[in-house]
């Protein structure tokens, strides 16, 4: 904004200055002046303004002469000066040549000023050499410490010589004042002849020898009304004559001023006519040492140009042929100026070799001299592929400001050209450069549409180049363009192309674009698209694999377990058996599948554990509140748990044991997914459970029995084993058949493992009724003939009673247990009948 304000203020100041200078001047009706930049002409009286034509916005320069500058002279002298200036501009307007300044609007006069408009001008040669008279203050930055390159001097002198050849041979006109003030450098760096104020036209009849009338120098007249003495030929004094050779002498003096220290002339005469006469005599015997400052290749010819004898001086054509101009840079610039004369084949050959020359040329010449000539060819599409690489090479050496000002405006129309296809290819190859220099707004408005066209082209190389450069400026693409324009084109290309390399590059491009997309765009656009890809080549599969891996591991994206389980894994698992995969590719694929399965398992288990722990806690608390007799209630066994209890999947049930609830709670707590209120509730439930666990268990009064003296336990108790087996048979068989009474108590039990070492089921099969609990209470005090039953370590649970209730209608035969019951001597002295059988009620009382 500050730059705009400064520019606005400078324009306002300039316009305000011009408003006082050009009131009523017709030039201001068609041209707008914006900046005071230079001065030119005799005594640098012409002020040069930068501007443009109002109707076409075409750049131009406006030359303004303010009549008030002549106020120090008399009216007659002022009139002579004004007439001289008018004459020079009128003569300039009549001439048309590449080396003569082009007039766009003829001279206009008002009461305060003279003005006319020309092609865009940089400055006069006098300004460039340090003469800042009648210049804006401060000096424009582009003129501060400005230095001409040798190739600029060579080509500039060559252009002036060509202009003199045109004047002398074609127009038969003597310029009569060739000097730095009369040479103007235009905006492209070309040297143009100006200042025809003292020109002399041929007065001879057609067909006869040219004749230029001579006017003697008048010391009484102001110096501004006569040619500059420093550049005036010596024959003006010696023979009172002049000829085309006089202009060659003036050009030789200009060459000396270009190379001398401080850009001083050889005689340093100024406006002293007497000093000029003395210097003329010195020129006759000019020592070679005076010309040491001139370039060695030009020194000899400058001496010849400054010769006192006009006939010995070279004419313009001879001057142009000297070896000094045999320079590759000069030839290049000269060829660029004459391109319109050559056909496309000759032009293409020249443009192919131009990059080598551009790298050796000064950058200022490339920008201001070569670039304008190249951009003229952009109207010729067949030549654009030859010209465009040179323009982009110049752009590589340009600053961002230079690129935006001089190169980008001419590239924008070229970006719209689709035929020949090589244009798009060149832009794709230089896309990194374009993105680095082009502002963001122009990237969206000009470069991005060009990339869309590249994706839709039929050239494989262009498509691949476009896909490779797209991720480099993905941050500049807004969300709607990414979703609605770019991604659909990439997906369409990936599905429709017949080239595997293009398809793989599409996948690579999508993988690089993932970090610039959001999670839902990936889930909606990318993940469903991958299974639609029609090919199963290993390279394509690895590209798909890479996208899946990025989406799974990326922190911002992170595809959900539902997507992995329902969309990704059903697609990836069949790919694992593709025959074309190498071992490394298979390992990568199966590794990703395992990671996804593991992630689905862990996330879903955590979720189920959380839900189950909450349900268990709620049930435990509910039972604790509703069952005052069970101080530490066990988790109820559900119908599903009962249904699958015999299938060997008990370890996976969360309700088989009460201990399972605590780890679940721990998992819930560790998962960190509980709110503060839930954590407080669970902690309170745990505290309540701990209080219940600290209370002593309730005392249960057992049925009075006669407890025999304690006897040492035996490693193997066949009696208890046999009793347990018989009870198992009782519960599994209905109705129970009569079991014959064994004859021996210590009869060996067949088909049972009696090894009691480390077995927890006492040698019985794993599948046991009564939930793995022993059939008899441990403290009954029963003992057989060979031992007692105190070794039993568990009590009957409620299932026994339930079974008895359920089977109360069925009469049981307990005769099989009579041999196992205690005898008279061991149990009661009051019972003397050892052969008496117990009835059912007595047996139940005894077993309870």
């Amino acid at each position: 904004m500050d730059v705009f304000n400064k520019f606005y203020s400078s324009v306002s100041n300039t316009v305000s200055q011009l408003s006082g200078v050009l009131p009523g001047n017709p030039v201001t009706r068609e041209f707008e002046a914006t900046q005071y930049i230079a001065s030119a002409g005799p005594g640098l009286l012409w002020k040069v303004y930068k501007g443009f034509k109002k109707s076409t916005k075409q750049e131009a320069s406006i030359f303004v002469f303010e009549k008030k500058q002549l106020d120090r002279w008399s009216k007659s002298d002022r009139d002579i000066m004004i007439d001289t200036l008018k004459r020079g501009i009128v003569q300039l307007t009549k001439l048309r040549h590449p080396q003569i300044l082009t007039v766009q609007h003829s001279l206009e006069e008002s009461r305060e000023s003279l003005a006319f408009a020309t092609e865009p001008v940089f400055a006069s040669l006098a300004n460039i050499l340090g003469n800042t008279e009648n210049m804006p203050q401060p000096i424009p930055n582009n003129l501060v410490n400005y230095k001409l390159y040798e190739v600029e001097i060579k080509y500039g002198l060559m252009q002036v010589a060509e202009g003199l050849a045109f004047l002398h041979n074609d127009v038969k006109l003597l310029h009569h004042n060739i000097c730095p003030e009369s040479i103007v450098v235009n905006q492209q760096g070309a040297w143009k002849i100006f200042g025809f104020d003292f020109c002399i036209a041929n007065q001879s009849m057609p067909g006869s020898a040219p004749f230029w009338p001579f006017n003697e120098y008048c010391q009484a007249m102001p110096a501004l009304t006569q040619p500059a003495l420093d550049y005036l030929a010596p024959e003006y004094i010696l023979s009172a004559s002049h000829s085309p050779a006089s202009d060659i002498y003036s050009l030789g003096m200009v060459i000396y001023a270009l190379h001398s220290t401080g850009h001083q002339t050889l005689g340093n005469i100024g406006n002293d006519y007497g000093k000029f006469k003395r210097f003329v005599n010195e020129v006759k015997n000019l020592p070679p040492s005076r010309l040491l400052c001139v370039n060695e290749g030009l020194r000899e010819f400058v001496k010849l140009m400054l010769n006192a004898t006009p006939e010995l001086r070279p004419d313009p054509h001879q001057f142009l042929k000297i070896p000094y101009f045999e320079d590759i840079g000069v030839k290049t610039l000269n060829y660029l100026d004459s391109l319109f004369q050559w056909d496309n084949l000759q032009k293409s050959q020249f443009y192919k070799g131009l990059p080598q020359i551009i790298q050796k040329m000064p950058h200022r010449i490339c920008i201001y001299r070569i670039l304008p000539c190249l951009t003229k060819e952009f109207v010729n599409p067949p030549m654009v592929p030859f010209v465009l690489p040179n323009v982009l090479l110049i752009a590589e050496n340009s600053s961002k400001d230079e690129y935006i000002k001089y190169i980008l405006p001419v590239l924008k129309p070229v970006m719209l050209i689709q035929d020949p296809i090589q244009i798009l290819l060149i832009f794709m190859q230089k896309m990194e450069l374009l993105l680095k220099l082009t502002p963001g707004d122009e990237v969206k408005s000009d470069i991005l549409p060009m990339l869309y066209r590249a994706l839709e082209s039929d050239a494989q190389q262009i498509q691949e180049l476009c896909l490779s450069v797209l991720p480099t400026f993905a941050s500049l693409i807004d969300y709607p363009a990414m979703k609605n324009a770019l991604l659909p084109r990439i997906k369409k290309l990936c599905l429709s192309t017949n080239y595997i390399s293009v398809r793989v590059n599409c996948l690579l491009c999508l993988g690089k674009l993932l970090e610039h997309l959001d999670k839902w765009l990936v889930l909606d656009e990318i993940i469903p698209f991958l299974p639609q890809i029609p090919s199963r080549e290993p390279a394509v599969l690895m590209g798909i694999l890479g996208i899946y891996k990025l989406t799974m591991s990326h922190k911002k994206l992170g595809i959900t377990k539902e997507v992995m389980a329902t969309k990704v894994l059903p697609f990836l698992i069949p790919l694992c058996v593709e025959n074309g995969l190498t071992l490394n590719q298979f390992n990568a694929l199966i590794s990703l599948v395992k990671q996804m399965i593991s992630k689905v398992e862990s996330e879903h288990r955590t979720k189920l554990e959380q839900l189950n722990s909450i349900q268990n806690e709620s049930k435990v608390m509910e039972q604790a509140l509703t069952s005052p007799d069970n101080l530490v209630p066990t988790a109820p066994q559900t119908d599903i748990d009962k249904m699958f209890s015999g299938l060997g999947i008990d370890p996976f049930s969360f309700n088989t044991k009460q201990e399972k609830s605590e780890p679940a709670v721990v998992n819930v707590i560790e998962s960190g997914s509980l709110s503060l209120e839930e954590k407080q509730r669970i902690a309170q439930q745990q505290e309540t459970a701990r209080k219940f666990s600290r209370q002593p268990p309730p005392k249960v009064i057992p049925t009075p029995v006669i407890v025999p003296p304690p006897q040492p336990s035996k490693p193997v108790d066949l009696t208890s084993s046999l009793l347990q087996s018989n009870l198992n048979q009782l519960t599994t068989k209905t109705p129970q058949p009569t079991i014959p009474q064994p004859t021996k108590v210590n009869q060996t039990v067949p088909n049972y493992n009696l090894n009691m070492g480390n077995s927890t089921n006492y040698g019985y099969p794993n599948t046991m009724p009564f939930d793995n609990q022993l059939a008899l209470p441990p403290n009954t005090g029963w003992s057989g003939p060979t031992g007692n039953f105190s070794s039993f370590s568990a009590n009957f649970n409620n299932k026994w009673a339930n079974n008895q209730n359920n089977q109360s209608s069925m009469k049981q035969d307990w005769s099989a247990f009579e041999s196992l019951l205690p005898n008279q001597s061991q149990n009661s002295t009051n019972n003397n009948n050892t052969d008496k059988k117990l009835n059912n009620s007595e047996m139940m009382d005894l077993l309870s």
Side-chain angles (χ1 to χ4, degrees):
M1 195 64 185
D2 294 337
V3 175
F4 176 78
N5 291 333
K6 291 180 181 178
F7 176 76
Y8 179 78
S9 61
S10 63
V11 172
S12 301
N13 294 335
T14 303
V15 172
S16 63
Q17 294 173 5
L18 288 178
S19 62
V21 172
L22 299 174
N25 196 303
V27 172
T28 59
R29 300 174 187 171
E30 298 185 25
F31 291 87
E32 185 72 42
T34 58
Q35 186 179 0
Y36 182 17
I37 58 173
S39 59
L44 300 178
L45 290 176
W46 289 101
K47 291 182 177 181
V48 183
Y49 291 85
K50 184 179 181 180
F52 59 90
K53 192 171 184 178
K54 294 180 180 179
S55 59
T56 62
K57 305 300 181 183
Q58 181 183 4
E59 285 190 74
S61 289
I62 302 170
F63 283 69
V64 179
F65 167 68
E66 300 175 7
K67 293 181 179 180
K68 64 179 181 181
Q69 295 180 85
L70 306 180
D71 289 346
R72 64 180 183 272
W73 284 280
S74 64
K75 185 178 184 304
S76 58
D77 291 341
R78 290 201 303 270
D79 292 341
I80 295 174
M81 293 180 190
I82 292 174
D83 291 340
T84 302
L85 293 176
K86 288 181 181 179
R87 178 175 175 269
I89 303 307
V90 170
Q91 183 61 58
L92 176 67
T93 306
K94 294 178 181 179
L95 300 173
R96 289 288 185 273
H97 189 267
Q99 272 63 55
I100 294 176
L101 187 65
T102 302
V103 177
Q104 293 184 1
H105 189 89
S106 59
L107 182 68
E108 300 283 359
E109 182 178 8
S110 66
R111 187 176 60 181
E112 290 83 9
S113 64
L114 300 175
F116 65 99
T118 68
E119 62 180 299
V121 166
F122 172 70
S124 65
L125 185 60
N127 297 152
I128 293 175
L129 296 181
N131 188 346
T132 59
E133 185 177 351
N134 205 22
M135 283 277 290
Q137 299 298 328
I139 304 299
N141 293 331
N142 54 0
L143 279 174
V144 176
N145 298 324
Y146 190 91
K147 182 180 179 181
L148 290 169
Y149 294 104
E150 186 66 25
V151 67
E152 289 182 292
I153 295 175
K154 286 182 180 181
Y155 192 59
L157 294 175
M158 188 176 179
Q159 289 174 313
V160 174
E162 290 176 351
L164 289 177
F166 167 74
L167 293 176
H168 296 165
N169 299 328
D170 298 338
V171 186
K172 302 293 190 283
L173 182 72
L174 298 183
H175 188 278
H176 199 46
N177 192 34
I178 294 295
C179 62
E181 289 81 2
S182 298
I183 298 175
V184 172
V185 180
N186 72 358
Q187 203 169 51
Q188 284 74 42
W191 292 17
K192 302 294 185 81
I193 297 177
F194 175 64
F196 288 86
D197 308 86
F198 311 109
C199 64
I200 302 174
N202 175 30
Q203 299 294 329
S204 65
M205 298 297 295
S208 59
F211 170 72
W212 294 279
F214 177 78
N215 294 321
E216 188 176 356
Y217 191 89
C218 180
Q219 301 183 48
M221 295 292 294
L224 294 178
T225 61
Q226 301 181 84
L229 294 178
D230 275 311
Y231 300 90
L232 194 60
E235 59 267 23
Y236 201 84
I237 296 294
L238 297 176
S239 60
S241 64
H242 46 222
S243 65
S246 301
D247 287 340
I248 297 298
Y249 175 91
S250 300
L251 180 60
M253 194 61 70
V254 170
I255 296 173
Y256 179 87
L258 286 169
H259 291 88
S260 65
T261 303
H263 304 295
Q264 300 294 322
T265 58
L266 189 61
N268 198 17
I269 298 170
N271 296 326
D272 190 344
Y273 188 73
K275 191 174 182 179
F276 171 68
K277 287 183 177 181
R278 292 191 297 271
F279 175 72
V280 168
N281 295 324
E282 296 178 7
V283 172
K284 294 179 181 180
N285 300 309
L286 188 66
S289 59
R290 296 288 300 275
L291 301 177
L292 290 178
C293 61
V294 181
N295 189 289
E296 184 177 359
L298 191 59
R299 189 180 307 154
E300 179 182 353
F301 300 98
V302 171
K303 182 178 180 181
L304 196 60
M305 295 169 74
L306 297 179
N307 196 292
T309 305
E311 291 77 12
L312 296 179
R313 300 171 193 158
D315 61 31
H317 289 292
Q318 293 172 336
F319 176 73
L320 291 172
K321 294 179 180 180
I322 65 177
Y324 176 75
F325 297 112
E326 295 295 325
D327 181 87
I328 186 65
V330 173
K331 287 186 175 181
T332 299
L333 295 176
N334 188 33
Y335 194 94
L336 288 170
D337 285 337
S338 58
L339 275 176
F340 60 91
Q341 302 176 6
W342 309 101
D343 58 21
N344 285 349
L345 180 61
Q346 292 172 318
K347 290 179 182 179
S348 63
Q349 296 297 326
F350 169 73
Y351 289 135
K352 287 180 181 178
L354 186 57
Q356 300 177 358
I357 301 173
I358 288 177
Q359 295 175 353
K360 299 177 182 179
M361 297 285 279
H363 179 64
R364 186 174 71 230
I365 297 177
C366 294
I367 285 287
Y368 297 103
R369 192 71 186 87
I370 297 178
L371 182 64
C373 297
L374 295 177
T375 55
K376 293 178 182 178
E377 288 289 346
F378 284 158
V379 298
N380 187 9
M383 294 305 300
V384 173
F386 300 97
V387 178
L388 187 57
N390 296 285
V391 175
L392 296 177
L393 180 60
I394 295 175
E396 288 183 5
N397 302 321
S398 303
S399 65
K400 191 168 185 177
D401 293 337
E402 290 174 336
Y403 171 81
I404 295 173
K405 184 176 181 181
Y406 300 107
I407 300 178
L408 182 59
V410 297
L411 285 182
K412 287 183 178 181
V414 183
M415 292 178 183
L416 301 175
I417 302 176
Q418 299 187 35
D419 187 24
I421 199 65
Q422 289 84 356
I423 299 175
L424 269 178
L425 179 61
I426 295 171
F427 275 125
M428 293 300 107
Q429 292 171 339
K430 295 293 183 179
M431 186 56 62
E432 183 178 356
L433 172 68
L434 296 177
L435 295 176
K436 181 179 71 173
L437 298 177
T438 307
D441 294 339
E442 279 74 11
V443 168
K444 295 178 182 178
S445 61
D446 298 293
I447 295 182
L448 195 56
M450 181 179 64
L451 290 171
Y452 295 158
R453 293 190 294 272
L455 288 176
E456 296 170 350
S457 69
D458 297 328
Q460 174 187 0
Q461 188 176 4
I462 293 177
Q463 293 171 346
E464 293 180 0
L465 284 173
C466 181
L467 291 169
S468 64
V469 301
L470 271 173
T472 59
F473 67 104
S475 58
L476 301 177
I477 306 175
D478 54 11
Y479 184 85
M482 179 73 75
K483 180 179 180 181
N484 302 321
L486 184 58
L487 287 181
R489 284 179 169 87
I490 297 177
K491 291 163 58 178
K492 180 181 178 181
L493 177 61
C494 187
L495 295 175
S496 61
T497 183
N498 295 323
Y499 301 102
I500 298 299
S501 59
V502 174
R503 185 166 286 138
V504 172
N505 277 283
C506 288
L507 295 173
L508 294 176
C509 181
L510 289 175
K512 294 176 182 178
L513 290 175
L514 286 178
E515 60 180 346
H516 303 284
L517 308 178
D518 60 22
K519 179 177 181 179
W520 304 114
L521 185 58
V522 172
L523 294 179
D524 295 340
E525 299 292 337
I526 305 299
I527 299 300
F529 153 73
L530 297 177
Q532 302 173 8
I533 299 176
S535 59
R536 292 295 180 266
E537 289 78 6
V540 176
L541 295 183
M542 289 302 102
I544 296 173
L545 187 68
I547 294 179
Y548 279 140
K549 195 166 186 178
L550 286 173
T551 54
M552 185 181 71
S553 59
H554 199 283
K555 295 181 179 179
K556 184 179 72 173
L557 301 178
I559 55 178
T560 61
K561 61 181 177 61
E562 290 80 10
V563 174
M564 284 190 287
T566 59
K567 296 181 180 180
V568 181
L569 287 173
F571 169 65
L572 286 182
I573 291 177
L575 298 181
C576 296
V577 295
E578 286 289 335
N579 295 327
L581 295 176
T582 64
L583 179 60
N584 291 334
Q585 292 168 346
F586 172 76
N587 290 336
L589 179 57
I590 203 69
S591 175
L592 179 63
V593 171
K594 289 180 179 179
Q595 291 177 15
M596 288 189 173
I597 293 176
S598 177
K599 188 172 183 180
V600 171
E601 177 189 1
S602 61
E603 291 184 3
H604 200 62
R605 175 178 285 113
T606 301
K607 178 180 177 181
L608 294 179
E609 287 175 349
Q610 294 174 3
L611 295 175
N612 187 74
S613 63
I614 294 174
Q615 293 174 359
N616 288 343
E617 289 294 329
S618 62
K619 290 179 180 180
V620 168
M621 294 304 298
E622 182 179 356
Q623 292 182 5
L625 295 175
T626 58
S627 301
D629 296 336
N630 298 328
L631 298 180
V632 185
T634 58
Q637 189 178 29
T638 63
D639 294 336
I640 296 179
D641 294 335
K642 294 177 182 178
M643 183 185 300
F644 294 101
S645 61
L647 298 180
I649 60 173
D650 292 344
F652 300 98
S653 175
F654 289 96
N655 294 323
T656 55
K657 293 184 179 181
Q658 183 181 357
E659 293 83 354
K660 294 290 184 178
S661 61
E662 184 66 23
V665 176
V666 174
N667 290 336
V668 174
I669 296 173
E670 290 179 352
S671 64
S673 60
L674 299 177
S675 63
L676 182 59
E677 293 77 6
E678 292 174 339
K679 293 179 180 179
Q680 291 175 342
R681 178 179 56 80
I682 294 175
Q684 185 177 2
Q685 293 174 0
Q686 292 177 341
E687 183 64 25
T688 304
R690 282 195 293 269
K691 289 180 180 180
F692 289 157
S693 64
R694 295 192 191 102
Q695 295 180 2
K699 297 181 181 181
V700 180
I701 302 175
T703 303
V705 294
I706 301 174
V707 181
Q711 296 186 9
S713 61
K714 296 180 181 181
V716 178
D717 193 342
L718 298 179
T719 304
S720 62
S721 300
L722 181 57
L723 180 58
Q724 183 65 43
S725 174
N726 292 332
L727 291 177
N728 290 341
Q729 295 176 6
L730 287 173
T731 57
T732 57
K733 295 180 180 180
T734 304
Q736 180 67 37
T738 304
I739 300 175
Q741 181 177 358
T743 58
K744 295 181 181 180
V745 175
N746 59 353
Q747 183 180 354
T748 304
V749 180
N751 298 328
Y752 285 93
N753 183 13
L754 300 179
N755 184 12
M756 304 295 290
N758 295 324
S759 177
T760 59
N761 56 12
Y762 300 97
Y764 290 90
N766 290 333
T767 304
M768 297 178 63
F770 306 108
D771 287 344
N772 294 333
Q773 299 197 25
L774 297 180
L776 294 178
N779 297 324
T780 56
W782 287 10
S783 61
T786 59
N788 57 40
F789 293 94
S790 61
S791 61
F792 289 98
S793 60
N795 295 322
F796 274 116
N797 59 12
N798 293 331
K799 291 183 180 180
W800 174 258
N802 293 334
N803 290 334
Q804 293 302 316
N805 295 331
N806 295 334
Q807 298 178 6
S808 60
S809 61
M810 300 174 60
K811 184 175 181 179
Q812 301 293 336
D813 189 356
W814 299 94
S815 60
F817 291 94
E818 292 180 356
S819 62
L820 302 178
L821 296 178
N823 56 23
Q824 181 180 7
S825 60
Q826 293 174 330
N827 295 312
S828 176
T829 57
N830 298 328
N831 188 2
N832 297 323
N833 190 5
T834 59
D835 297 330
K836 184 180 179 181
K837 295 184 180 180
L838 298 176
N839 56 27
N840 290 344
S841 61
E842 292 174 342
M843 177 65 73
M844 288 301 300
D845 291 339
L846 184 59
L847 292 177
S848 61

